[in-house]
Amino acid sequence: MNSNTQDMPAPTAYALSPAALPVEESERGLKILVRILQRRRRIFLATTMAVTLAAGLWTVYRRITSPVFQGGFSLLISDPINESGGASAEAGASAISSVARNVISNDVPTLIRVLESRSVLAPVFTALQRRYPELRSPDVTVSLVTADPTQTTLASGVIAVQATGSSPELVSETLKLTEEAYLKWALQQRRVKLTEGVKFLDEQAPELQARSTELQGQLERFRTRNNVLSPQTEAAAVRSQAEVLSSSLENQLAERSRLQQVRADVAAGRLTARTFTSTAGDRGKGESAGSGTSVTLDVPNQPLLTELNRLEGEIAEARSIYTTDSPYLRNLLSARDQLKPALQRKELEAVDATLQQLDGSIAALRSQISSTEERFRSQPGLLRQFEDLQGKLEVAQGNLASFQSTRDQFQLEIAQNNVPWKVISPAEVNPSPIEPRLGRGLLQGLLLGVVAGGGVALVRDRLDHVFHTPGEVREELKLPLLGSIPYLSLFDELPIDKAFPLKDLDNQQTGMGGYQRFTYQEAFRNLYTSLRFLNSDRPLKSVAVTSSVPSEGKSFLIVLLAKTLSELGKRVLLVDADLRKPQVHYRLGMNNLRGLSNLLTEEEPDWRSLLQTVPNHPSWQVLTSGNRVPDPPRLLGCARMKQLVEDIAASGAYDLILYDTPPALGLADASLVAENLDGILLIVSLNKVDRQLPQQTVARIRSSGAPLLGIVTNARRDTGDKNSIYGYGRYGYGSSTDGDSALDPGTAYDYYNLNSDAEALETTGVATILPNKGNRKRWKKALKNWFQG
């Protein structure tokens, strides 16, 4: 009759992409954290409230005993290191002034750190300690912030000075002393820098004076050596002279060409002019011609020329009168021919002399032009040397003048007493304390309380190494979860470890008891439904129930399961196979004179003769354990036990046969019994049994070869998880006397609003709610569960 566990459907495997795993893991971790906080909500809320309350009280205590007041003022600053006031703005722009002032680039954070240093604020604390002898350094603080967060370089700006202290008077006095200290420090820094600048200028002035004198001497020697005052003016004059000479040379060359043309005319016999001019310097007489000097040259032997002109006139007149054969005309022509060669020779001699004189003048002009151009070519070098010396001299004289002007300006500024900084917002003190703030203190306390409460809840949950939810059991053991039995306060009223009449459960028909009766019945009905669908080919008939360790409620649950099934009209046989510590006959109030052990050790005619019927449950029979035996595993593993199990199952008299077995961890009884059955159920107690024990139990059952059907969780105490409680009472399920339903007909209950049910209050009564001697035990247990939550 053994059942093969491979017949059960395998769990479905879902493939997850790698990208989805981190998200699902984080969501799963968040859900686990939320479940832990819900489960430990009482200790979480208690810790959070306690820490928040303590933080609030501490904040109020500090606000009363050690309040912190704040005040401040604003300074309009100009850097005492880089600036020396508006009077020297122009001088400070020069290079000499910048060097003398030792100008460096300072930023706002650096200045703030300097102003907050002990060297600047030491006089402030010294004066405060003289006035307040009991004052300590932490009692008052001074801090600075820039009004413009984007300001990084220090030229000018606004700095806010803040002071905090234990009293408004102390803060006011601190601000007053700080204001005086900062203004005094700024003025002192300004004077120090100006004094250092004057000293620097005095040290540099002699060297600058010597440099200026040396450059003046070099310039004087240069003028003497080159015989020039200003090379630039001299170069312009030489250039102008060269241009004049070149123009004269061009004129004389033109005149020479003209004279050459005259000589050619004379040589050709054209002697018609009495005189002619020539630009031959001062050698001739006459008016100026062109741009040169005009010289009039007289024809030599002027009477001959006059005579020649007379003869020419007479010849012209005779030709108009006489014929060419006329003796008179011939005499005139003969006389002209005799006179003309002599005159031509004289004119040629005069022109040649003038040409010779003009050639000498041209040569002299060319020599002058060459000398002038040579002088002009030497002028750029002299000009460069002159400008270099003159530039150095101007720089030296300018530096010397700047040094003297800057020194005079510095001395004037030192004599002045102008403070470079100005208070633009006077000191004011807030009359109300700024620290500690009640709102922020409570918020911090709340945040700290939440963190502390969460930490305590997590530590408490980790120290409590048990399963808290059915989901945790399913994920840890990797087994089908066939059923979950919720916690019901109804069971706290029953003597679970001893006999209790079943009618006590049946009498809970109204109020909270009726609802809880319906709840556990639905839980066991779901368990039976799961068992029916485990194997669709062959229904399960014989099932053993075990647990990892004692006191997990195994025997009590199997009794309730049998009772529920019998109320459903199912034929149920409950066999107490726990031969070591039987409990079924105690729970049901039956005798245990003869039972299973007698069937296994004696020759009994029929097992039916030892069955006992539960009162008021005709379809529910019980086979008790019988007498104690010295070696239970030997009896449970014998062939007679196997035959007995097969006979009971084959009889067909029962819809389900339940076997109550000892705990499986450390004992072989449960595995020996389960070998002959269709399977075994493992009870896992929530919030009670260590996590490792069910795992070891599962491994032991599997190693023995017994078919493990699944797990059933049992909540032994209230965890506050309403998801584990069946809420069918909302829907108005009724009950009838035949046991098919749990509640009275027409009665509806709201699980989450039971206190508003007047009928329930009337049934329970005020005496059962308030602490008294009768319910002291219940109240102690409730308080214990509350702190454990």
Side-chain angles (χ1 to χ4, degrees), residues 610-645:
L610 299 181
L611 299 180
Q612 302 181 55
T613 301
V614 180
N616 300 323
H617 296 80
S619 62
W620 179 13
Q621 291 185 321
V622 178
L623 177 60
T624 61
S625 62
N627 297 329
R628 295 288 183 91
V629 293
D631 192 4
R634 184 178 63 83
L635 291 179
L636 296 176
C638 66
R640 183 176 291 184
M641 179 64 184
K642 180 178 180 180
Q643 185 61 42
L644 176 61
V645 170

Side-chain angles (χ1 to χ4, degrees), residues 421-436:
W421 291 0
K422 182 180 180 181
V423 178
I424 61 174
S425 178
E428 294 181 356
V429 181
N430 188 357
S432 301
I434 63 167
E435 291 290 343

Side-chain angles (χ1 to χ4, degrees), residues 8 152 176 193 196 233 245 321 428 487 555 590 608 641 656 742:
M8 293 184 293
T152 56
K176 179 181 179 181
K193 289 301 176 182
E196 293 178 352
T233 305
L245 292 175
I321 298 174
E428 294 181 356
Y487 167 80
S555 299
M590 297 180 175
R608 294 179 179 85
M641 179 64 184
L656 185 61

Side-chain angles (χ1 to χ4, degrees), residues 483-484 486 515 519-520 522-523 526 722-729 751:
S484 299
Y515 172 77
T519 299
Y520 84 77
E522 285 299 318
N526 290 336
K722 293 180 174 59
N723 295 326
S724 64
I725 300 177
Y726 296 91
Y728 300 106
Y751 178 79

Side-chain angles (χ1 to χ4, degrees), residues 534-608:
L534 272 180
N535 194 338
S536 59
D537 296 336
R538 182 177 58 187
L540 300 177
K541 289 291 186 181
S542 303
V543 177
V545 180
T546 186
S547 62
S548 300
V549 294
S551 301
E552 289 196 61
K554 166 182 59 65
S555 299
F556 181 67
L557 292 184
I558 200 172
V559 170
L560 293 180
L561 176 59
K563 176 181 179 297
T564 302
L565 295 181
S566 68
E567 292 173 348
L568 290 174
K570 304 298 180 181
R571 298 169 297 169
V572 183
L573 175 60
L574 176 56
V575 179
D576 191 353
D578 188 355
L579 303 182
R580 299 175 183 271
K581 190 179 179 181
Q583 297 290 327
V584 174
H585 65 282
Y586 283 118
R587 305 295 173 85
L588 300 177
M590 297 180 175
N591 67 78
N592 193 27
L593 299 179
R594 300 179 65 81
L596 178 60
S597 61
N598 301 97
L599 293 175
L600 299 179
T601 57
E602 301 175 3
E603 292 295 338
E604 290 291 337
D606 188 10
W607 53 271
R608 294 179 179 85

Side-chain angles (χ1 to χ4, degrees), residues 253-557:
L253 290 175
E255 189 65 25
R256 180 183 179 185
S257 298
R258 178 184 171 193
L259 288 176
Q260 288 177 349
Q261 182 65 36
V262 171
R263 186 180 185 286
D265 292 340
V266 172
R270 292 187 290 273
L271 301 175
T272 59
R274 290 177 177 270
T275 61
F276 62 89
T277 59
S278 174
T279 56
D282 297 334
R283 295 180 61 93
K285 297 179 182 179
E287 296 178 357
S288 62
S291 61
T293 302
S294 297
V295 177
T296 302
L297 297 177
D298 294 335
V299 179
N301 298 319
Q302 186 65 30
L304 293 179
L305 183 59
T306 303
E307 182 64 18
L308 179 62
N309 292 332
R310 186 187 65 78
L311 290 176
E312 290 287 344
E314 289 180 356
I315 289 172
E317 184 181 357
R319 285 182 175 180
S320 62
I321 298 174
Y322 301 101
T323 62
T324 56
D325 307 356
S326 172
Y328 179 72
L329 180 60
R330 291 182 178 179
N331 290 331
L332 289 175
L333 291 173
S334 175
R336 187 193 65 179
D337 293 338
Q338 292 178 358
L339 182 62
K340 189 175 181 178
L343 183 60
Q344 184 179 12
R345 184 176 62 251
K346 294 294 183 178
E347 286 185 358
L348 289 175
E349 290 177 356
V351 170
D352 290 340
T354 303
L355 285 175
Q356 185 178 1
Q357 181 182 1
L358 189 59
D359 289 340
S361 178
I362 289 172
L365 281 177
R366 286 178 174 174
S367 177
Q368 290 180 1
I369 290 173
S370 177
S371 176
T372 302
E373 289 179 351
E374 184 67 23
R375 287 178 59 194
F376 182 77
R377 283 193 294 270
S378 65
Q379 291 302 313
L382 296 176
L383 182 61
R384 183 175 62 253
Q385 296 178 15
F386 178 80
E387 290 179 349
D388 185 25
L389 290 175
Q390 192 176 27
K392 292 180 180 180
L393 180 60
E394 290 177 356
V395 171
Q397 291 177 345
N399 290 340
L400 181 60
S402 298
F403 266 70
Q404 294 173 351
S405 175
T406 303
R407 181 177 57 186
D408 295 341
Q409 184 65 40
F410 280 12
Q411 291 175 349
L412 178 61
E413 292 178 2
I414 292 174
Q416 294 176 348
N417 198 27
N418 295 332
V419 180
W421 291 0
K422 182 180 180 181
V423 178
I424 61 174
S425 178
E428 294 181 356
V429 181
N430 188 357
S432 301
I434 63 167
E435 291 290 343
R437 299 179 182 177
L438 292 178
R440 186 170 65 181
L442 291 176
L443 180 59
Q444 292 176 349
L446 179 60
L447 295 177
L448 181 60
V450 171
V451 174
V456 172
L458 290 175
V459 171
R460 177 68 179 87
D461 197 75
R462 287 293 178 261
L463 293 177
D464 187 13
H465 194 250
V466 296
F467 291 110
H468 303 99
T469 63
E472 292 181 4
V473 180
R474 181 179 60 250
E475 293 176 2
E476 189 80 16
L477 300 183
K478 307 299 181 184
L479 289 172
L481 179 62
L482 302 180
S484 299
I485 311 303
Y487 167 80
L488 299 174
S489 60
L490 170 65
F491 296 150
D492 293 339
E493 306 293 335
L494 301 177
I496 297 178
D497 296 334
K498 298 179 181 180
F500 63 92
L502 295 177
K503 64 180 181 179
D504 291 346
L505 289 175
D506 297 335
N507 290 334
Q508 302 289 341
Q509 296 292 329
T510 60
M512 190 65 180
Y515 172 77
Q516 294 187 7
R517 179 172 178 266
F518 170 76
T519 299
Y520 84 77
Q521 284 182 340
E522 285 299 318
F524 285 112
R525 289 171 183 173
N526 290 336
L527 173 58
Y528 177 65
T529 303
S530 300
L531 290 174
R532 289 180 58 189
F533 287 101
L534 272 180
N535 194 338
S536 59
D537 296 336
R538 182 177 58 187
L540 300 177
K541 289 291 186 181
S542 303
V543 177
V545 180
T546 186
S547 62
S548 300
V549 294
S551 301
E552 289 196 61
K554 166 182 59 65
S555 299
F556 181 67
L557 292 184

